[in-house]
């Protein structure tokens, strides 16, 4: 439940997303409670696995150049979205720009063609987000 983490937030706020500090004032405590509850439930439900011994000194492969590029892009996108949110800007365009720029940079470094990259996009999320827009609009029209 972060201001920029969920497409549902963008749908629910319908272009009236409060700036970051206002959002934190309103949803900061519920977010912390949500995070704590999620942690507690996962800790309880996975307690058996957590008691199992772990490998000492496991082999951890080094992060490749593509991974570094994506990591830097994610950091840049997070900073961009936090600044945009704090300034009260809509988040759609900065999100699109950050995502498209990351895709293009990775494609250039990997030598991937556009259509090859498009095959790996999770297209199933688009109907979900579209459905959220329809659902929220319906709730708004009936007064909820």
């Amino acid at each position: 439940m972060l201001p920029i983490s969920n497409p549902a937030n963008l749908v629910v706020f319908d272009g009236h997303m409060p700036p970051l500090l206002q959002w934190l004032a309103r949803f900061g405590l519920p977010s912390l409670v949500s995070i704590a509850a999620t942690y507690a439930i996962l800790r309880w439900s996975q307690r058996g696995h957590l008691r199992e011994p772990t490998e000492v000194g496991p082999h951890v492969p080094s992060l490749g150049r593509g991974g570094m590029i994506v990591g830097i892009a994610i950091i840049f996108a997070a900073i961009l979205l936090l600044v945009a949110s704090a300034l009260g800007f809509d988040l759609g365009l900065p999100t699109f720009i950050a995502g498209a720029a990351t895709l293009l940079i990775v494609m250039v470094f990997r030598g991937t063609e556009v259509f090859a990259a498009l095959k790996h996009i999770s297209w199933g999320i688009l109907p979900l987000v579209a459905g959220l827009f329809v659902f929220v609009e319906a709730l708004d029209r009936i007064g909820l």
Side-chain angles (χ1 to χ4, degrees):
M1 191 170 155
L2 299 173
I4 57 175
S5 67
N6 190 338
N9 289 339
L10 301 176
V11 174
V12 169
F13 285 107
D14 188 31
H16 304 295
M17 180 76 94
L20 181 60
L21 295 179
Q22 288 178 9
W23 190 95
L24 286 172
R26 178 182 259 174
F27 296 108
L29 182 59
S31 292
L32 291 175
V33 170
S34 174
I35 292 166
T38 301
Y39 175 81
I41 290 169
L42 287 174
R43 179 86 181 175
W44 177 79
S45 68
Q46 299 301 312
R47 65 189 179 279
H49 295 291
L50 292 171
R51 288 188 190 119
E52 294 177 9
T54 58
E55 182 181 343
V56 177
H59 170 70
V60 179
S62 61
L63 190 59
R65 192 166 96 181
M68 290 294 287
I69 292 167
V70 171
I72 291 167
I74 289 171
I75 291 168
F76 173 75
I79 292 168
L80 174 69
L81 294 175
L82 285 170
V83 169
S85 180
L87 296 175
F89 294 136
D90 289 334
L91 300 179
L93 184 60
T95 303
F96 173 77
I97 290 170
T102 302
L103 175 63
L104 291 173
I105 291 168
V106 170
M107 285 174 38
V108 167
F109 278 101
R110 294 181 90 188
T112 307
E113 295 180 10
V114 173
F115 292 111
L118 293 177
K119 289 179 185 177
H120 296 286
I121 293 175
S122 179
W123 294 104
I125 197 74
L126 294 178
L128 170 69
V129 174
L132 285 172
F133 277 101
V134 172
F135 183 71
V136 169
E137 182 64 24
L139 291 174
D140 187 46
R141 288 188 183 207
I142 63 170
L144 292 176

